[in-house]
Amino acid sequence: MKIAVTGGKGGVGKSMVATSLAVEFAEKNKTMLVDADVECPNDHLLLSVKREKYIDIYQLIPKFDYSKCEKCGKCASTCKKGAIVWVKGKFPAFIKDACIGCMACKAVCPYGTISETKKILVQSIPERIII
């Protein structure tokens, strides 16, 4: 049997339901719980499991070379997540934690100001916890 607990906004109890079902099923059957939440996996917290680190997972983010920037604001107007804030006549400000890594800002910049770098997205995996 396979059961998926998915959908809904954060904080509605998906992890609580998934871990509760896994614990209940594990009493009589071999059970595998997979926390596939890429941004905030936390089933291990509910089960008090210490995870092992296998690899770091990175996400692309923009890197600004302000010596090339003409302060046009195109990057900020393209960013749908509000990760780039621009005020006329000023260099754009980048909010790394708000960025989803779509790199639309790089595609729209007419001056070649934006290149790619990366940030650590997830530091510890796996999210496979066998109960």
Side-chain angles (χ1 to χ4, degrees):
M1 174 182 359
K2 294 179 185 176
I3 298 175
V5 179
T6 184
K9 65 175 202 62
V12 297
K14 296 179 298 290
S15 294
M16 181 63 72
V17 170
T19 55
S20 296
L21 286 171
V23 167
E24 193 65 30
F25 288 135
E27 290 182 10
K28 295 182 181 173
N29 301 296
K30 186 174 180 182
T31 303
M32 180 177 13
L33 172 64
V34 178
D35 189 344
D37 188 333
V38 177
E39 294 177 353
C40 189
N42 57 15
D43 288 356
H44 68 288
L45 298 172
L46 296 168
L47 296 170
S48 299
V49 173
K50 182 156 174 61
R51 300 182 297 173
E52 282 185 53
K53 181 175 180 176
Y54 286 96
I55 60 171
D56 290 335
I57 298 174
Y58 296 93
Q59 172 185 319
L60 288 179
I61 59 170
K63 179 180 179 183
F64 292 81
D65 179 354
Y66 291 114
S67 68
K68 296 179 181 178
C69 182
E70 295 292 324
K71 305 176 187 174
C72 69
K74 289 184 180 180
C75 56
S77 63
T78 300
C79 182
K80 301 301 181 207
K81 293 295 181 179
I84 304 171
V85 179
W86 175 75
V87 175
K88 188 174 182 177
K90 304 282 184 182
F91 289 117
F94 177 57
I95 305 165
K96 181 169 64 170
D97 292 336
C99 181
I100 61 168
C102 70
M103 299 307 295
C105 55
K106 179 182 177 188
V108 75
C109 179
Y111 305 104
T113 300
I114 302 169
S115 59
E116 296 174 358
T117 189
K118 59 187 178 179
K119 70 176 180 180
I120 290 180
L121 189 59
V122 177
Q123 289 186 312
S124 297
I125 59 173
E127 297 312 324
R128 280 182 35 182
I129 302 168
I130 299 177
I131 300 171

